[in-house]
Amino acid sequence: MSEKPHRGKEQPGHHGEGRKYDKGRDQTPGSQSRASHSALGSLDYRHPDYPHDTHPVLVPGISIDEQRRHYRVDWLVFAIAGSLTVAFVIWGIWSPGSVAAVAETAFYWSTDNLGWMFNVVAIVVLVATLGIALSPYGRIPLGKDGERPEFSTFSWTAMLFAAGLGVAVLFWGPSEPLGYFISPPPLTSEPESVEALHTALAQMYYHWGFHAWAIYALVGGAVAYAAYRRGRSMLMSSIFRALFGRRLTEGFAGKLVDIFAIITTLFGTAAALGIAAMQIGAGVSIVSGAGELTNDTLVVIIAILTVGFVVSAVSGVARGIRYLSNMNIVLTIGMVAIVLFLGPTLFLVNLLPSAIMEYLGSLFDMMGRSLSWGTETQEFQSMWTVYYWAWWISWSPFVGIFLARISRGRTIRQFILGTILIPSSLLFIAYGVMGGTSIWMYREGAPGFTEGMPAPEVLFALIDNLPYVEWLPFVVILVLAIFFVTAADSASVVMGMLTTQGDQTPRLWVVVFWGLVMSGIAIVMLLLGDATALEGLQRLVIVTAVPFALVLIVAIIAWFKELRTDPLALRMHYVDTAVNNAVTEGVDRYGDDFSLKVVESSPGDGAGAGIDSTDESYTEWYQRTNEEGDPVGYDFETGEWADGYDAATGETSEATSEQLAVARERSRVEALKTGADHGRH
């Protein structure tokens, strides 16, 4: 039989709402005394004490904007992360040779000893996220019960496209497949063969496809769940509340996670900014005929673009910058379309489906490559595959928090599958067009294409061989410049959030500080190699991503543990148990002629058998508190706070002395109840 999962005999009209306060009950000292007695009352299974008299199954969820908190600069996080990164910038500018030596040693140690770890993390994250999406947990919303998505499906899809496009389409899109075609991955195919053509695109799809977006989906989904379902701040540390507990999450363990997130985001984003600067420099050099590109030129370019970022941040033209960012996406898609229609169109439309099927067919083979395949494979993995896994890991706090902010109200299944499949599909087409065209032009002996040409020059050589687009290099330089400014702006805001306890509009000086540090790191990265080399970028990204790779594995465990105690997951468990019990008993007693009826059952025989619904893991998270973290009475059905707090204005309304006395008593009851529950568990 089904057991009614709520204390007493009352039951709300809707499964997602808690029971209203009996406001008359709290108006007299006697009733207050009875409430206090109830809070510390019996352990009788029919009358357990829940926060706000609401069974965990009936909690509709808590949104971040419903919580009461003051955001402050977390000086410990800021001091540690800021000191370490500023010291690195000073060291790198003062003595780039010593930094290069240390980075090289750390790089080779990391790739030789931990290359396998990056491969394992990428595989585990992909399998885990797909497993969560396809499991019953996939039905859980990234928001409150019944909450509709904040953005339409079309707008959400467009923003996922925007997240997937960037400088990489213009830098790596033409150059990376060409490099694999000329020098294929070890033990795959002959250089410059038909097999090498398809292997080249498949290898690029492997680096930029499902695994990369699964990493983003893990961080984005976990952060969105913590913020929009559990009401926590949009911090990386918020993911680990179920694993660490509140004290450690808000203490040094949580701060350490946020520090790792800031440092890895700084280096990952700085690498992207360095790549953008390299290609802008190559474009300026080619268009102006200025000659060979030098590190001094790159430093000047980064300095000019950094001034643009600071001006945009200080002047408050963020909306205009976002419009430019959207225009960037349109221009990038337009450039891909131009290459498709002015380039070898017939060749490309035949190549794209073949390359995608080659990727899917060889996916498990590429996932299995490691040091055991020989030193050449190890060297290739270190230079490419491990570098990319490290880069996606380092970008995951930045991109993940962006994805979380646009995905409120969607189910976990929609979010994960959409995040993995939609951007990957776009990149397969865009990279197939750009990479396929560069390979075709190289095979045809097009002017400007040579075997050892630097990566930043491949795009401009490709454009130079297209008709009617003499103006396109100038557009490319503009797009890259806008990308630099908008990426620095967005990443700095995310790091500002991580530094200010999750404030979604962090203080301006914090945002500018992180932007300047990020540009400084980009300069140091470029100083570690020559103007056309990527070794400095790649080495530091891999080294700094090592700690955060471990954080992602722990994040999987923490998120899964929290999903097990979600109200909807509990509700599904109750439904399955109650229906199975009822059907079994009904058929046994009445054959085909029975119906279901909710009645009270014996202890341990009802829908909640095997679940201690008063356990702290189910109830602690929805105890509402004021700005100081003290428990406050709350009505989940009406949204009323016991102390008169108005969520719309953020103010506590003036109340009569009698109302204040009642509010204080309710708060005292909640505090006593919380203390009693903690004492029992």
Side-chain angles (χ1 to χ4, degrees), residues 241-320:
R241 177 79 167 265
L243 202 61
F244 294 167
R246 178 175 180 176
R247 184 178 62 84
L248 287 177
T249 302
E250 296 179 357
F252 186 72
K255 295 180 190 299
L256 194 61
V257 169
D258 292 330
I259 290 169
F260 283 153
I262 291 172
I263 292 175
T264 191
T265 301
L266 274 172
F267 281 86
T269 311
L273 300 186
I275 286 172
M278 289 169 63
Q279 194 155 32
I280 290 172
V284 170
S285 177
I286 292 171
V287 170
S288 66
E292 185 179 355
L293 185 65
T294 65
N295 272 332
D296 292 339
T297 306
L298 291 177
V299 171
V300 171
I301 290 172
I302 292 177
I304 293 173
L305 294 175
T306 301
V307 170
F309 151 71
V310 172
V311 169
S312 73
V314 173
S315 62
V317 293
R319 179 174 298 180

Coordinates of all heavy atoms in Angstrom, one line a residue, residues 241-320:
R241 N 28.9 20.6 -2.0 CA 28.3 20.7 -0.7 C 27.9 19.4 -0.2 O 28.0 19.1 1.0 CB 27.0 21.6 -0.9 CG 26.2 21.8 0.4 CD 26.8 22.8 1.3 NE 25.8 23.2 2.3 CZ 25.0 24.2 2.3 NH1 25.1 25.0 1.2 NH2 24.1 24.5 3.2
A242 N 27.3 18.5 -1.0 CA 26.9 17.2 -0.6 C 28.0 16.3 -0.2 O 27.9 15.4 0.7 CB 26.1 16.5 -1.7
L243 N 29.2 16.6 -0.7 CA 30.4 15.7 -0.4 C 31.2 16.3 0.7 O 31.6 15.5 1.6 CB 31.3 15.6 -1.7 CG 32.2 14.5 -1.8 CD1 31.4 13.1 -1.8 CD2 33.0 14.6 -3.1
F244 N 31.4 17.6 0.8 CA 32.2 18.2 1.8 C 31.4 18.6 3.0 O 32.0 18.7 4.1 CB 32.9 19.4 1.3 CG 33.9 19.2 0.2 CD1 34.4 20.2 -0.6 CD2 34.4 17.9 -0.1 CE1 35.4 20.0 -1.6 CE2 35.3 17.6 -1.1 CZ 35.8 18.7 -1.8
G245 N 30.1 18.8 2.9 CA 29.3 19.4 4.0 C 29.4 20.9 3.9 O 30.3 21.5 3.3
R246 N 28.5 21.6 4.6 CA 28.5 23.1 4.5 C 29.7 23.7 5.1 O 30.3 24.7 4.5 CB 27.2 23.6 5.3 CG 27.1 25.1 5.3 CD 25.8 25.5 5.9 NE 25.7 27.0 5.9 CZ 24.7 27.7 6.4 NH1 23.6 27.0 6.8 NH2 24.7 29.0 6.4
R247 N 30.2 23.2 6.2 CA 31.4 23.9 6.9 C 32.6 23.9 6.0 O 33.2 24.9 5.8 CB 31.6 23.2 8.2 CG 32.7 23.9 9.0 CD 32.9 23.2 10.3 NE 33.4 21.8 10.2 CZ 34.6 21.5 10.0 NH1 35.6 22.4 10.0 NH2 35.0 20.2 9.9
L248 N 32.9 22.7 5.4 CA 34.1 22.6 4.6 C 33.9 23.3 3.2 O 34.8 23.9 2.7 CB 34.5 21.2 4.3 CG 35.1 20.4 5.5 CD1 35.3 19.0 5.2 CD2 36.4 21.1 5.9
T249 N 32.7 23.3 2.7 CA 32.4 23.9 1.4 C 32.6 25.4 1.5 O 33.1 26.1 0.6 CB 31.0 23.6 0.9 OG1 30.9 22.1 0.8 CG2 30.8 24.2 -0.5
E250 N 32.1 26.0 2.6 CA 32.2 27.4 2.8 C 33.5 27.8 3.5 O 33.9 29.0 3.6 CB 31.0 27.9 3.7 CG 29.7 27.8 3.0 CD 28.5 28.2 3.8 OE1 28.8 28.6 5.0 OE2 27.4 28.2 3.4
G251 N 34.3 26.7 3.8 CA 35.6 27.0 4.4 C 36.7 26.8 3.5 O 36.6 27.0 2.3
F252 N 37.9 26.3 4.0 CA 39.1 26.3 3.1 C 39.0 25.3 1.9 O 39.5 25.6 0.9 CB 40.3 25.9 4.0 CG 41.6 26.0 3.2 CD1 42.1 27.3 2.9 CD2 42.3 24.9 2.8 CE1 43.3 27.4 2.1 CE2 43.4 25.0 2.1 CZ 44.0 26.3 1.8
A253 N 38.3 24.2 2.1 CA 38.2 23.2 1.0 C 37.5 23.8 -0.2 O 37.9 23.7 -1.3 CB 37.4 21.9 1.5
G254 N 36.3 24.5 0.1 CA 35.6 25.2 -1.0 C 36.4 26.3 -1.6 O 36.5 26.5 -2.9
K255 N 37.1 27.0 -0.8 CA 38.0 28.1 -1.3 C 39.1 27.6 -2.2 O 39.5 28.2 -3.2 CB 38.5 29.0 -0.1 CG 37.4 29.7 0.7 CD 38.0 30.5 1.8 CE 37.0 31.0 2.8 NZ 36.0 31.9 2.1
L256 N 39.6 26.4 -1.8 CA 40.7 25.9 -2.6 C 40.2 25.5 -4.0 O 40.9 25.7 -5.0 CB 41.3 24.6 -1.9 CG 42.6 24.1 -2.4 CD1 43.7 25.1 -2.2 CD2 43.0 22.8 -1.6
V257 N 39.0 24.9 -4.0 CA 38.4 24.6 -5.4 C 38.3 25.9 -6.2 O 38.6 25.9 -7.4 CB 37.0 23.9 -5.2 CG1 36.3 23.8 -6.5 CG2 37.2 22.5 -4.6
D258 N 37.8 26.9 -5.6 CA 37.6 28.2 -6.4 C 38.9 28.8 -6.8 O 39.0 29.4 -7.9 CB 36.8 29.2 -5.5 CG 35.4 28.8 -5.3 OD1 34.8 28.1 -6.2 OD2 34.8 29.1 -4.3
I259 N 40.0 28.6 -6.0 CA 41.3 29.1 -6.3 C 41.8 28.3 -7.5 O 42.3 28.9 -8.5 CB 42.3 29.0 -5.1 CG1 41.9 30.0 -4.1 CG2 43.7 29.2 -5.6 CD1 42.6 29.8 -2.7
F260 N 41.7 27.0 -7.5 CA 42.1 26.2 -8.6 C 41.3 26.6 -9.9 O 41.9 26.7 -11.0 CB 41.8 24.7 -8.4 CG 42.8 24.0 -7.5 CD1 42.5 22.9 -6.7 CD2 44.1 24.5 -7.4 CE1 43.4 22.3 -5.9 CE2 45.1 23.9 -6.6 CZ 44.7 22.8 -5.8
A261 N 40.0 26.9 -9.7 CA 39.2 27.3 -10.9 C 39.7 28.6 -11.5 O 39.7 28.7 -12.7 CB 37.7 27.4 -10.5
I262 N 40.0 29.5 -10.6 CA 40.5 30.8 -11.1 C 41.8 30.7 -11.9 O 42.0 31.2 -13.0 CB 40.7 31.8 -9.9 CG1 39.3 32.2 -9.4 CG2 41.4 33.1 -10.4 CD1 39.4 33.0 -8.1
I263 N 42.8 29.9 -11.3 CA 44.1 29.8 -11.9 C 44.0 29.1 -13.2 O 44.6 29.5 -14.2 CB 45.0 29.1 -10.9 CG1 45.3 30.0 -9.7 CG2 46.3 28.7 -11.6 CD1 46.2 29.3 -8.6
T264 N 43.2 28.0 -13.2 CA 43.2 27.2 -14.5 C 42.4 28.0 -15.6 O 42.8 27.9 -16.7 CB 42.5 25.8 -14.3 OG1 42.7 25.0 -15.4 CG2 41.0 25.9 -14.0
T265 N 41.4 28.8 -15.2 CA 40.7 29.6 -16.1 C 41.6 30.7 -16.7 O 41.6 31.0 -17.9 CB 39.4 30.3 -15.5 OG1 38.6 29.2 -15.0 CG2 38.7 31.1 -16.5
L266 N 42.4 31.3 -15.8 CA 43.4 32.3 -16.2 C 44.3 31.8 -17.3 O 44.5 32.5 -18.4 CB 44.2 32.8 -15.0 CG 43.6 33.9 -14.2 CD1 44.4 34.2 -12.9 CD2 43.5 35.2 -15.0
F267 N 44.9 30.6 -17.1 CA 45.8 30.1 -18.1 C 45.2 29.6 -19.3 O 45.7 29.8 -20.4 CB 46.7 29.0 -17.4 CG 47.8 29.6 -16.6 CD1 47.6 29.9 -15.2 CD2 49.1 29.8 -17.1 CE1 48.6 30.4 -14.4 CE2 50.1 30.3 -16.3 CZ 49.8 30.6 -14.9
G268 N 44.0 29.0 -19.2 CA 43.3 28.5 -20.4 C 42.8 29.6 -21.3 O 43.0 29.6 -22.5
T269 N 42.3 30.7 -20.7 CA 41.8 31.8 -21.5 C 42.9 32.6 -22.0 O 42.9 33.1 -23.1 CB 40.9 32.7 -20.6 OG1 39.9 31.9 -19.9 CG2 40.2 33.8 -21.4
A270 N 44.0 32.7 -21.2 CA 45.2 33.5 -21.7 C 45.8 32.8 -22.9 O 46.3 33.4 -23.9 CB 46.2 33.5 -20.6
A271 N 45.7 31.4 -23.0 CA 46.2 30.7 -24.2 C 45.4 31.1 -25.4 O 45.9 31.3 -26.5 CB 46.1 29.2 -23.9
A272 N 44.0 31.2 -25.2 CA 43.2 31.6 -26.3 C 43.5 33.0 -26.8 O 43.5 33.3 -28.0 CB 41.7 31.5 -25.9
L273 N 43.7 33.9 -25.8 CA 44.0 35.3 -26.1 C 45.4 35.4 -26.9 O 45.6 36.2 -27.8 CB 44.0 36.2 -24.9 CG 42.7 36.2 -24.1 CD1 42.9 37.2 -22.9 CD2 41.6 36.6 -25.0
G274 N 46.3 34.5 -26.4 CA 47.6 34.5 -27.1 C 47.5 34.0 -28.5 O 48.1 34.6 -29.4
I275 N 46.7 33.0 -28.8 CA 46.4 32.5 -30.1 C 45.8 33.6 -31.0 O 46.2 33.8 -32.1 CB 45.6 31.3 -30.1 CG1 46.4 30.1 -29.5 CG2 45.0 30.9 -31.4 CD1 45.6 28.8 -29.3
A276 N 44.8 34.3 -30.4 CA 44.2 35.4 -31.2 C 45.2 36.5 -31.5 O 45.2 37.0 -32.7 CB 43.0 36.0 -30.3
A277 N 46.0 36.8 -30.6 CA 47.1 37.8 -30.9 C 48.0 37.4 -31.9 O 48.4 38.1 -32.8 CB 47.8 38.2 -29.6
M278 N 48.4 36.1 -31.9 CA 49.3 35.5 -32.9 C 48.7 35.7 -34.3 O 49.4 36.0 -35.3 CB 49.6 34.1 -32.6 CG 50.5 33.9 -31.4 SD 50.6 32.1 -30.9 CE 51.4 31.4 -32.3
Q279 N 47.4 35.3 -34.4 CA 46.8 35.4 -35.7 C 46.5 36.8 -36.2 O 46.7 37.1 -37.4 CB 45.5 34.6 -35.8 CG 45.0 34.3 -37.2 CD 44.2 33.1 -37.3 OE1 43.5 32.7 -36.4 NE2 44.2 32.4 -38.4
I280 N 46.2 37.7 -35.3 CA 46.1 39.1 -35.6 C 47.4 39.6 -36.1 O 47.5 40.3 -37.1 CB 45.6 39.9 -34.4 CG1 44.1 39.6 -34.1 CG2 45.7 41.4 -34.7 CD1 43.6 40.2 -32.8
G281 N 48.5 39.3 -35.4 CA 49.8 39.7 -35.8 C 50.2 39.2 -37.2 O 50.7 39.9 -38.1
A282 N 49.8 37.9 -37.5 CA 50.1 37.4 -38.8 C 49.3 38.1 -39.9 O 49.8 38.4 -41.0 CB 49.8 35.9 -38.8
G283 N 48.1 38.4 -39.6 CA 47.2 39.1 -40.5 C 47.7 40.5 -40.8 O 47.8 40.9 -42.0
V284 N 48.1 41.2 -39.7 CA 48.6 42.6 -39.9 C 49.9 42.5 -40.7 O 50.2 43.4 -41.6 CB 48.8 43.2 -38.5 CG1 49.6 44.5 -38.7 CG2 47.5 43.5 -37.8
S285 N 50.8 41.5 -40.4 CA 52.0 41.4 -41.1 C 51.8 41.2 -42.6 O 52.5 41.8 -43.5 CB 52.9 40.3 -40.5 OG 54.1 40.1 -41.2
I286 N 50.9 40.3 -42.9 CA 50.6 39.9 -44.3 C 49.9 41.1 -45.1 O 50.3 41.4 -46.2 CB 49.7 38.6 -44.4 CG1 50.6 37.4 -43.9 CG2 49.3 38.4 -45.8 CD1 49.7 36.2 -43.7
V287 N 48.9 41.7 -44.5 CA 48.2 42.7 -45.1 C 49.0 44.0 -45.3 O 48.9 44.6 -46.4 CB 46.9 43.1 -44.3 CG1 46.2 44.3 -44.8 CG2 45.9 41.9 -44.3
S288 N 49.8 44.3 -44.3 CA 50.6 45.5 -44.4 C 51.9 45.4 -45.1 O 52.6 46.3 -45.4 CB 50.8 46.1 -43.0 OG 51.6 45.2 -42.2
G289 N 52.4 44.1 -45.2 CA 53.7 43.8 -45.8 C 54.8 44.2 -44.9 O 55.9 44.6 -45.3
A290 N 54.5 44.2 -43.5 CA 55.5 44.7 -42.5 C 56.6 43.8 -42.3 O 57.6 44.1 -41.7 CB 54.8 45.0 -41.2
G291 N 56.5 42.6 -42.8 CA 57.6 41.6 -42.6 C 57.4 40.6 -41.5 O 56.3 40.4 -41.1
E292 N 58.5 40.1 -41.0 CA 58.4 39.0 -40.1 C 57.8 39.4 -38.8 O 58.1 40.5 -38.3 CB 59.8 38.4 -39.8 CG 59.9 37.2 -38.9 CD 61.3 36.7 -38.7 OE1 62.2 37.2 -39.4 OE2 61.4 35.7 -37.9
L293 N 57.0 38.6 -38.2 CA 56.3 38.8 -36.9 C 57.3 38.5 -35.8 O 57.9 37.5 -35.8 CB 55.1 38.0 -36.8 CG 54.1 38.2 -35.6 CD1 53.5 39.5 -35.7 CD2 53.1 37.1 -35.6
T294 N 57.3 39.4 -34.8 CA 58.2 39.2 -33.7 C 57.4 39.2 -32.4 O 56.2 39.7 -32.3 CB 59.3 40.4 -33.6 OG1 58.6 41.6 -33.3 CG2 60.0 40.4 -34.9
N295 N 58.1 38.8 -31.3 CA 57.4 38.8 -30.0 C 57.1 40.2 -29.6 O 56.0 40.5 -28.9 CB 58.3 38.2 -28.9 CG 58.1 36.7 -28.9 OD1 57.0 36.2 -29.1 ND2 59.1 35.9 -28.5
D296 N 57.9 41.2 -29.9 CA 57.6 42.6 -29.5 C 56.3 43.0 -30.2 O 55.6 43.8 -29.5 CB 58.8 43.5 -29.9 CG 60.1 43.2 -29.2 OD1 60.0 42.6 -28.0 OD2 61.2 43.6 -29.6
T297 N 56.1 42.6 -31.4 CA 54.9 43.0 -32.1 C 53.7 42.4 -31.4 O 52.7 43.1 -31.2 CB 54.9 42.5 -33.5 OG1 56.1 43.0 -34.2 CG2 53.7 43.0 -34.3
L298 N 53.8 41.2 -31.0 CA 52.7 40.5 -30.3 C 52.4 41.2 -28.9 O 51.2 41.3 -28.5 CB 53.0 39.0 -30.0 CG 53.1 38.1 -31.3 CD1 53.5 36.7 -30.9 CD2 51.7 38.1 -32.0
V299 N 53.4 41.6 -28.2 CA 53.2 42.3 -26.9 C 52.5 43.6 -27.1 O 51.6 43.9 -26.4 CB 54.6 42.5 -26.2 CG1 54.4 43.4 -25.0 CG2 55.2 41.2 -25.8
V300 N 52.8 44.3 -28.2 CA 52.2 45.5 -28.5 C 50.7 45.3 -28.8 O 49.8 46.0 -28.4 CB 52.9 46.3 -29.7 CG1 52.0 47.5 -30.1 CG2 54.2 46.7 -29.2
I301 N 50.4 44.2 -29.6 CA 49.1 43.9 -30.0 C 48.2 43.6 -28.8 O 47.1 44.0 -28.6 CB 49.0 42.7 -31.0 CG1 49.6 43.2 -32.4 CG2 47.6 42.2 -31.2 CD1 49.8 42.1 -33.3
I302 N 48.8 42.7 -27.9 CA 48.1 42.4 -26.7 C 47.8 43.6 -25.8 O 46.7 43.8 -25.2 CB 48.8 41.3 -25.9 CG1 48.8 40.0 -26.6 CG2 48.2 41.1 -24.5 CD1 49.6 38.8 -26.0
A303 N 48.8 44.5 -25.7 CA 48.6 45.7 -24.9 C 47.5 46.6 -25.4 O 46.7 47.1 -24.7 CB 50.0 46.5 -24.9
I304 N 47.5 46.7 -26.8 CA 46.4 47.6 -27.4 C 45.0 46.9 -27.1 O 44.1 47.6 -26.8 CB 46.7 47.7 -28.9 CG1 47.9 48.5 -29.1 CG2 45.5 48.4 -29.6 CD1 48.3 48.6 -30.6
L305 N 44.9 45.6 -27.3 CA 43.6 45.0 -27.1 C 43.2 45.0 -25.6 O 42.1 45.0 -25.3 CB 43.7 43.5 -27.6 CG 43.9 43.4 -29.1 CD1 44.1 41.9 -29.5 CD2 42.7 44.0 -29.9
T306 N 44.2 44.9 -24.7 CA 43.9 45.0 -23.3 C 43.4 46.3 -22.9 O 42.4 46.4 -22.1 CB 45.2 44.7 -22.5 OG1 45.7 43.3 -22.8 CG2 44.9 44.7 -21.0
V307 N 43.9 47.4 -23.5 CA 43.3 48.7 -23.3 C 41.9 48.7 -23.8 O 41.0 49.3 -23.1 CB 44.2 49.8 -24.1 CG1 43.5 51.1 -24.0 CG2 45.6 49.9 -23.5
G308 N 41.6 48.1 -24.9 CA 40.2 48.0 -25.4 C 39.3 47.3 -24.4 O 38.2 47.7 -24.1
F309 N 39.8 46.2 -23.8 CA 39.0 45.5 -22.8 C 38.8 46.4 -21.6 O 37.6 46.5 -21.1 CB 39.8 44.2 -22.4 CG 39.5 43.8 -21.0 CD1 38.2 43.3 -20.6 CD2 40.4 43.9 -20.0 CE1 37.9 42.9 -19.3 CE2 40.2 43.6 -18.7 CZ 38.9 43.0 -18.3
V310 N 39.8 47.1 -21.1 CA 39.7 47.9 -19.9 C 38.7 49.1 -20.2 O 37.8 49.4 -19.3 CB 41.0 48.5 -19.4 CG1 40.8 49.5 -18.3 CG2 41.9 47.4 -19.0
V311 N 38.8 49.7 -21.3 CA 37.8 50.7 -21.7 C 36.4 50.2 -21.7 O 35.5 50.9 -21.2 CB 38.2 51.4 -23.1 CG1 37.1 52.3 -23.6 CG2 39.5 52.1 -23.0
S312 N 36.2 49.0 -22.3 CA 34.8 48.5 -22.4 C 34.3 48.2 -21.0 O 33.1 48.4 -20.7 CB 34.8 47.2 -23.2 OG 35.4 46.1 -22.6
A313 N 35.2 47.7 -20.1 CA 34.7 47.3 -18.8 C 34.4 48.6 -17.9 O 33.4 48.6 -17.3 CB 35.8 46.5 -18.1
V314 N 35.3 49.6 -18.0 CA 35.1 50.8 -17.2 C 34.0 51.7 -17.7 O 33.2 52.2 -16.9 CB 36.4 51.6 -17.2 CG1 36.2 52.9 -16.5 CG2 37.5 50.8 -16.5
S315 N 33.8 51.7 -19.0 CA 32.8 52.6 -19.6 C 31.4 52.1 -19.5 O 30.4 52.8 -19.8 CB 33.1 52.9 -21.1 OG 33.1 51.7 -21.8
G316 N 31.2 50.8 -19.2 CA 29.9 50.2 -19.0 C 29.2 50.0 -20.4 O 28.0 50.0 -20.4
V317 N 30.0 49.7 -21.4 CA 29.4 49.4 -22.7 C 29.3 47.9 -22.9 O 29.4 47.5 -24.0 CB 30.2 50.1 -23.8 CG1 30.2 51.6 -23.7 CG2 31.7 49.6 -23.8
A318 N 29.0 47.2 -21.9 CA 29.0 45.8 -22.0 C 27.9 45.3 -23.0 O 28.1 44.3 -23.7 CB 28.7 45.2 -20.6
R319 N 26.8 46.0 -23.0 CA 25.7 45.6 -23.9 C 26.2 45.7 -25.4 O 25.9 44.9 -26.2 CB 24.5 46.5 -23.7 CG 23.3 46.1 -24.6 CD 22.0 46.9 -24.3 NE 21.6 46.5 -23.0 CZ 20.5 47.1 -22.4 NH1 19.8 48.0 -23.1 NH2 20.1 46.7 -21.2
G320 N 26.9 46.9 -25.7 CA 27.4 47.0 -27.0 C 28.5 46.0 -27.3 O 28.5 45.5 -28.5

